[in-house]
Amino acid sequence: MPIRGCLIDLDGTIYSAGTIIEGAVAAIEQLRATGYQLLFLTNTDSQLPATLAAKLQARHIPIQAHEIMNPLQAIAEYLSNHKPNLYILAPQAVKTWFEQQYPPQPDQPISHVVLAHCGEVDGYNSLNLAFRQLLHGAEFLVSQPGRNYLSNTGLNLDTGAFAALLEYASQTKPTILGKPTKAFFEQALHALQLSAEEVVVVGDDLTTDIVGAANSGMASVWLRTGKGHDQQLTADSPQPTWTLASIAELPALLAEFNG
């Protein structure tokens, strides 16, 4: 069956440490011109898709907000089946977005602790309050399990590191909503309205992109940019269908595969 759609990572795939990867923009444009359906599937949880898209467009990366899916949307979708009262550890803009959909109920107990990017949280007190809510029985929702991420200043603690701290302290297992969960990739397939056999996952991270593709029955392309520069395949880890130096090589690979 020919490949008709691509689930493409952003950080480490289109750009890395603040620098656009050579050939990435041309590859996106070529894939679009060829007729592939594209959805940019990212674990970036520090900002909403509209904000992220605006920053990308300012750098002449032609990606629109409706083409981006991140774990914040997955958390909101998960909560739609509940009547939640949230305690949120996330940047203020993200917190405001959640509270607009699920207004705080000061007279009700906290039902869910939501953990996203922690770069702006108010230190120990905020983490300690989240810990206490988990002890009181709140459900623990985590955007993504990353240990660290690379910026132009070096490696930084990522959401998964804070999730591990709170899980250890409270003995409450979190529900992960972003990559590499099967539910996240299935939500992306639904957005594209394609089957798993018609879609390829493209990304730099073996632990999220390639594992997520394997869990969801999709082909994958591992890129040796971003985290892929330092990661190593092991015999017991899911194997990518293809390995490329960068996304610049993706249009030619798909053209050859599709004949």
Side-chain angles (χ1 to χ4, degrees):
M1 183 175 292
I3 291 173
R4 299 172 55 201
C6 304
L7 299 177
I8 303 175
D9 180 47
L10 287 175
D11 193 355
T13 296
I14 305 300
Y15 54 86
S16 183
T19 301
I20 300 172
I21 290 170
E22 185 176 357
V25 171
I28 293 170
E29 293 172 339
Q30 189 173 349
L31 291 169
R32 284 208 180 102
T34 308
Y36 291 101
Q37 295 186 55
L38 307 182
L39 186 63
F40 294 87
L41 204 61
T42 175
N43 267 354
T44 297
D45 55 356
S46 58
Q47 51 201 318
L48 298 164
T51 305
L52 182 55
K55 291 182 178 180
L56 295 174
Q57 291 162 25
R59 302 186 66 189
H60 306 291
I61 301 174
I63 297 174
Q64 305 298 315
H66 71 272
E67 297 177 301
I68 298 174
M69 179 177 161
N70 76 359
L72 304 176
Q73 297 153 297
I75 291 173
E77 176 68 20
Y78 179 90
L79 290 169
S80 67
N81 297 317
H82 302 75
K83 294 182 179 179
N85 190 31
L86 307 178
Y87 182 84
I88 304 166
L89 287 170
Q92 185 58 51
V94 172
K95 183 177 179 181
T96 299
W97 182 75
F98 276 116
E99 289 178 343
Q100 288 171 344
Q101 298 174 80
Y102 304 106
Q105 306 167 56
D107 58 336
Q108 297 296 320
I110 295 297
S111 62
H112 297 78
V113 170
V114 173
L115 174 66
H117 180 72
C118 287
E120 298 177 21
V121 302
D122 186 23
Y124 179 86
N125 287 338
S126 295
L127 289 166
N128 201 47
L129 285 172
F131 160 68
R132 290 177 177 175
Q133 299 300 339
L134 295 173
L135 289 182
H136 292 155
E139 186 175 355
F140 191 16
L141 304 182
V142 175
S143 56
Q144 49 95 1
R147 293 185 179 92
N148 56 67
Y149 67 94
L150 182 64
S151 72
N152 56 8
T153 61
L155 283 174
N156 306 272
L157 287 170
D158 206 355
T159 304
F162 293 93
L165 181 157
L166 289 170
E167 179 181 2
Y168 175 76
S170 67
Q171 299 184 53
T172 302
K173 188 172 181 61
T175 297
I176 307 293
L177 277 301
K179 296 188 286 187
T181 64
K182 185 176 180 181
F184 192 53
F185 282 88
E186 288 179 342
Q187 190 175 344
L189 285 177
H190 180 73
L192 289 179
Q193 297 187 321
L194 295 173
S195 68
E197 293 77 15
E198 296 174 293
V199 175
V200 63
V201 176
V202 182
D204 66 304
D205 194 338
L206 290 170
T207 65
T208 55
D209 302 308
I210 307 308
V211 168
N215 289 343
S216 308
M218 286 182 268
S220 62
V221 176
W222 181 39
L223 305 177
R224 303 308 304 269
T225 51
K227 289 184 178 179
H229 181 73
D230 296 316
Q231 290 178 338
Q232 298 295 327
L233 282 170
T234 61
D236 58 350
S237 65
Q239 303 296 301
T241 313
W242 298 284
T243 299
L244 297 177
S246 81
I247 194 173
E249 299 177 353
L250 181 63
L253 170 70
L254 294 182
E256 181 180 359
F257 177 80
N258 285 337

